[in-house]
Amino acid sequence: MISHIRKYFPSLTEEQIARFETLMKAYPEWNDKINVISRKDIDNLEVNHILHSLAIARLIQFAPGSRVLDFGAGGGFPSLPLAVLFPDVQFHLVDRVGKKLRVAEDVARQAGLTNVTVQHGDIGECRDKFDFVVSRAVMPLPDLVRLSSKNISEKQVNAMPNGFITLKGGELQGEIAATPGTTELFDIARWFSDEDFFKTKKVTYTFL
Protein backbone atom coordinates (compact mmCIF):
# COMPACT_ATOMS: atom_id res chain seq x y z
CA MET A 1 0.00 0.00 0.00
CA ILE A 2 2.94 2.34 0.60
CA SER A 3 5.41 0.79 -1.82
CA HIS A 4 7.04 4.09 -2.80
CA ILE A 5 7.58 5.19 0.79
CA ARG A 6 9.03 1.81 1.73
CA LYS A 7 11.31 1.90 -1.31
CA TYR A 8 13.00 5.13 -0.23
CA PHE A 9 12.71 4.56 3.53
CA PRO A 10 13.46 0.85 3.96
CA SER A 11 14.15 1.05 7.70
CA LEU A 12 10.60 1.92 8.78
CA THR A 13 9.24 0.15 11.84
CA GLU A 14 6.01 -1.81 11.67
CA GLU A 15 4.35 0.96 13.67
CA GLN A 16 5.49 3.60 11.18
CA ILE A 17 4.28 1.49 8.26
CA ALA A 18 0.87 1.14 9.92
CA ARG A 19 0.70 4.89 10.52
CA PHE A 20 1.55 5.72 6.91
CA GLU A 21 -1.12 3.27 5.81
CA THR A 22 -3.58 5.07 8.07
CA LEU A 23 -2.71 8.35 6.33
CA MET A 24 -3.30 6.65 2.98
CA LYS A 25 -6.75 5.57 4.13
CA ALA A 26 -7.83 8.63 6.10
CA TYR A 27 -7.07 11.39 3.58
CA PRO A 28 -9.25 10.00 0.75
CA GLU A 29 -12.09 9.49 3.23
CA TRP A 30 -11.82 13.10 4.38
CA ASN A 31 -11.40 14.35 0.83
CA ASP A 32 -14.88 13.08 0.01
CA LYS A 33 -16.18 15.60 2.58
CA ILE A 34 -13.66 18.46 2.42
CA ASN A 35 -11.44 19.20 -0.56
CA VAL A 36 -8.11 19.08 1.28
CA ILE A 37 -6.24 17.68 -1.72
CA SER A 38 -7.18 18.34 -5.33
CA ARG A 39 -9.72 15.70 -6.32
CA LYS A 40 -7.69 15.11 -9.48
CA ASP A 41 -4.61 14.43 -7.36
CA ILE A 42 -5.92 12.30 -4.50
CA ASP A 43 -4.95 9.12 -6.40
CA ASN A 44 -1.35 10.36 -6.24
CA LEU A 45 -1.45 10.85 -2.47
CA GLU A 46 1.52 8.61 -1.67
CA VAL A 47 4.06 10.21 -4.02
CA ASN A 48 2.81 13.77 -4.58
CA HIS A 49 1.95 14.50 -0.95
CA ILE A 50 3.36 12.04 1.56
CA LEU A 51 6.68 11.24 -0.15
CA HIS A 52 7.00 14.89 -1.17
CA SER A 53 6.73 15.87 2.50
CA LEU A 54 9.37 13.30 3.41
CA ALA A 55 11.93 14.99 1.14
CA ILE A 56 12.63 17.19 4.17
CA ALA A 57 13.87 14.06 5.97
CA ARG A 58 16.49 13.64 3.25
CA LEU A 59 17.82 17.09 4.08
CA ILE A 60 17.81 16.77 7.86
CA GLN A 61 17.35 14.13 10.52
CA PHE A 62 15.67 16.12 13.28
CA ALA A 63 17.22 15.49 16.66
CA PRO A 64 14.95 14.00 19.33
CA GLY A 65 13.31 16.79 21.28
CA SER A 66 13.27 19.20 18.34
CA ARG A 67 10.25 21.45 17.86
CA VAL A 68 9.00 22.16 14.35
CA LEU A 69 6.40 24.74 13.28
CA ASP A 70 4.38 23.97 10.14
CA PHE A 71 3.42 27.39 8.75
CA GLY A 72 0.23 27.22 6.66
CA ALA A 73 -0.16 23.54 7.44
CA GLY A 74 -3.52 23.07 5.74
CA GLY A 75 -4.50 19.42 5.97
CA GLY A 76 -1.16 18.40 7.49
CA PHE A 77 1.54 18.46 4.83
CA PRO A 78 4.47 18.29 5.32
CA SER A 79 4.16 17.84 9.08
CA LEU A 80 2.07 14.67 9.49
CA PRO A 81 4.30 12.43 7.35
CA LEU A 82 7.31 13.90 9.16
CA ALA A 83 5.63 13.25 12.52
CA VAL A 84 5.36 9.58 11.59
CA LEU A 85 9.04 9.44 10.68
CA PHE A 86 10.20 11.43 13.73
CA PRO A 87 8.07 10.32 16.72
CA ASP A 88 10.40 12.08 19.20
CA VAL A 89 9.95 15.47 17.52
CA GLN A 90 7.07 17.86 18.27
CA PHE A 91 5.16 19.32 15.32
CA HIS A 92 2.90 22.36 15.73
CA LEU A 93 0.53 23.12 12.84
CA VAL A 94 -0.71 26.67 12.27
CA ASP A 95 -3.26 27.65 9.64
CA ARG A 96 -6.02 30.21 9.16
CA VAL A 97 -8.40 27.65 7.59
CA GLY A 98 -10.01 25.83 10.47
CA LYS A 99 -11.70 23.08 8.47
CA LYS A 100 -8.39 21.92 7.01
CA LEU A 101 -6.77 21.89 10.45
CA ARG A 102 -9.65 19.75 11.70
CA VAL A 103 -8.78 17.22 9.02
CA ALA A 104 -5.12 17.25 10.06
CA GLU A 105 -6.07 16.88 13.72
CA ASP A 106 -8.36 13.92 13.02
CA VAL A 107 -5.88 12.17 10.72
CA ALA A 108 -3.20 12.58 13.39
CA ARG A 109 -5.59 11.08 15.94
CA GLN A 110 -6.42 8.14 13.71
CA ALA A 111 -2.71 7.49 13.14
CA GLY A 112 -1.96 7.65 16.87
CA LEU A 113 0.37 10.64 16.51
CA THR A 114 0.80 12.15 19.97
CA ASN A 115 3.55 14.53 18.78
CA VAL A 116 1.21 16.82 16.82
CA THR A 117 -0.61 19.95 18.00
CA VAL A 118 -2.71 22.42 15.99
CA GLN A 119 -3.41 26.15 16.25
CA HIS A 120 -6.16 27.84 14.26
CA GLY A 121 -5.20 31.40 13.43
CA ASP A 122 -2.63 33.70 11.92
CA ILE A 123 1.11 33.10 12.29
CA GLY A 124 1.29 36.41 14.16
CA GLU A 125 -0.71 34.79 16.97
CA CYS A 126 1.89 32.05 17.47
CA ARG A 127 4.49 33.20 19.99
CA ASP A 128 6.24 29.92 20.72
CA LYS A 129 9.82 29.18 19.72
CA PHE A 130 10.86 26.35 17.39
CA ASP A 131 14.03 24.89 15.95
CA PHE A 132 12.66 24.93 12.42
CA VAL A 133 9.76 26.36 10.46
CA VAL A 134 8.61 24.12 7.61
CA SER A 135 6.16 24.98 4.87
CA ARG A 136 4.82 23.64 1.59
CA ALA A 137 4.26 26.21 -1.16
CA VAL A 138 2.43 28.65 1.12
CA MET A 139 3.95 32.01 0.14
CA PRO A 140 7.12 33.59 -1.26
CA LEU A 141 10.18 32.73 0.83
CA PRO A 142 11.03 36.35 1.82
CA ASP A 143 7.54 36.79 3.29
CA LEU A 144 7.64 33.48 5.15
CA VAL A 145 11.00 34.33 6.74
CA ARG A 146 9.83 37.83 7.65
CA LEU A 147 6.64 36.61 9.30
CA SER A 148 8.05 33.65 11.19
CA SER A 149 11.60 34.64 12.11
CA LYS A 150 10.30 35.59 15.58
CA ASN A 151 9.47 31.91 16.09
CA ILE A 152 13.00 30.60 15.58
CA SER A 153 14.65 29.53 18.84
CA GLU A 154 18.17 30.64 19.67
CA LYS A 155 18.81 27.31 21.42
CA GLN A 156 20.58 24.86 19.11
CA VAL A 157 19.84 21.11 19.31
CA ASN A 158 20.38 20.01 15.68
CA ALA A 159 23.55 19.68 13.63
CA MET A 160 22.18 22.23 11.14
CA PRO A 161 21.54 25.82 12.28
CA ASN A 162 17.92 26.54 13.17
CA GLY A 163 15.99 27.99 10.26
CA PHE A 164 13.34 27.60 7.58
CA ILE A 165 12.74 24.60 5.30
CA THR A 166 10.25 24.82 2.45
CA LEU A 167 9.00 22.61 -0.35
CA LYS A 168 8.70 24.53 -3.60
CA GLY A 169 8.74 24.23 -7.38
CA GLY A 170 9.60 26.39 -10.34
CA GLU A 171 12.11 29.21 -10.66
CA LEU A 172 13.28 30.33 -7.22
CA GLN A 173 16.34 32.49 -7.79
CA GLY A 174 14.37 35.72 -7.44
CA GLU A 175 12.87 34.62 -4.14
CA ILE A 176 16.22 33.48 -2.83
CA ALA A 177 17.90 36.75 -3.79
CA ALA A 178 15.25 38.70 -1.85
CA THR A 179 15.44 36.51 1.26
CA PRO A 180 17.61 37.59 4.20
CA GLY A 181 20.26 35.22 5.50
CA THR A 182 21.65 32.28 3.57
CA THR A 183 19.46 30.01 1.44
CA GLU A 184 20.53 26.65 0.03
CA LEU A 185 18.58 24.90 -2.73
CA PHE A 186 18.26 21.14 -3.18
CA ASP A 187 16.73 19.13 -6.05
CA ILE A 188 14.32 16.52 -4.68
CA ALA A 189 14.96 14.38 -7.78
CA ARG A 190 18.41 13.60 -6.40
CA TRP A 191 16.75 11.69 -3.56
CA PHE A 192 13.68 10.23 -5.30
CA SER A 193 15.16 9.73 -8.73
CA ASP A 194 12.59 7.29 -10.12
CA GLU A 195 9.59 9.60 -9.66
CA ASP A 196 8.83 12.01 -12.51
CA PHE A 197 6.82 14.24 -10.17
CA PHE A 198 9.98 15.53 -8.52
CA LYS A 199 11.82 16.68 -11.64
CA THR A 200 11.05 20.35 -10.91
CA LYS A 201 10.58 20.14 -7.14
CA LYS A 202 12.98 21.72 -4.64
CA VAL A 203 13.72 21.95 -0.95
CA THR A 204 14.96 25.30 0.30
CA TYR A 205 16.86 25.73 3.56
CA THR A 206 17.36 29.22 4.98
CA PHE A 207 19.21 30.28 8.11
CA LEU A 208 19.82 33.79 9.41
Side-chain angles (χ1 to χ4, degrees):
M1 188 176 181
I2 56 165
S3 58
H4 293 85
I5 297 169
R6 296 182 74 170
K7 173 181 177 180
Y8 294 105
F9 294 89
S11 300
L12 295 174
T13 66
E14 290 301 317
E15 183 175 57
Q16 287 171 323
I17 290 169
R19 285 174 169 169
F20 279 126
E21 289 177 344
T22 297
L23 266 58
M24 289 289 294
K25 179 174 180 287
Y27 275 112
E29 291 175 350
W30 264 110
N31 225 51
D32 288 338
K33 308 169 193 173
I34 296 174
N35 192 22
V36 178
I37 296 169
S38 166
R39 299 200 189 282
K40 296 183 295 183
D41 204 32
I42 191 65
D43 290 340
N44 302 312
L45 172 64
E46 184 185 1
V47 170
N48 295 13
H49 299 277
I50 298 178
L51 190 60
H52 189 201
S53 299
L54 295 177
I56 291 173
R58 285 291 196 241
L59 175 67
I60 180 172
Q61 290 286 304
F62 294 115
S66 296
R67 302 190 72 225
V68 177
L69 169 64
D70 188 344
F71 182 168
F77 299 104
S79 51
L80 291 197
L82 292 170
V84 174
L85 207 59
F86 298 106
D88 296 324
V89 174
Q90 292 296 314
F91 292 87
H92 186 60
L93 287 62
V94 176
D95 201 284
R96 286 189 276 188
V97 183
K99 65 181 182 179
K100 290 186 176 182
L101 274 184
R102 286 195 295 274
V103 173
E105 192 169 31
D106 184 69
V107 172
R109 179 192 60 78
Q110 290 187 52
L113 295 173
T114 59
N115 57 333
V116 172
T117 54
V118 303
Q119 179 177 342
H120 178 211
D122 188 87
I123 189 65
E125 299 170 43
C126 181
R127 301 295 179 184
D128 290 347
K129 298 290 186 179
F130 302 86
D131 302 291
F132 289 91
V133 173
V134 300
S135 192
R136 188 176 186 235
V138 169
M139 64 176 60
L141 189 57
D143 297 332
L144 183 144
V145 171
R146 175 176 55 84
L147 291 171
S148 59
S149 59
K150 64 177 173 53
N151 299 108
I152 297 294
S153 173
E154 294 181 2
K155 182 181 178 183
Q156 190 71 42
V157 298
N158 286 271
M160 293 169 59
N162 295 351
F164 313 82
I165 302 172
T166 72
L167 296 168
K168 285 181 171 286
E171 173 55 48
L172 298 171
Q173 293 305 321
E175 285 190 35
I176 291 173
T179 302
T182 299
T183 297
E184 299 175 359
L185 193 62
F186 302 86
D187 293 321
I188 296 179
R190 67 192 282 191
W191 300 315
F192 306 143
S193 56
D194 292 340
E195 318 303 327
D196 289 342
F197 175 73
F198 298 115
K199 285 183 177 178
T200 61
K201 304 299 181 185
K202 314 283 187 183
V203 175
T204 72
Y205 164 54
T206 302
F207 56 95
L208 301 177

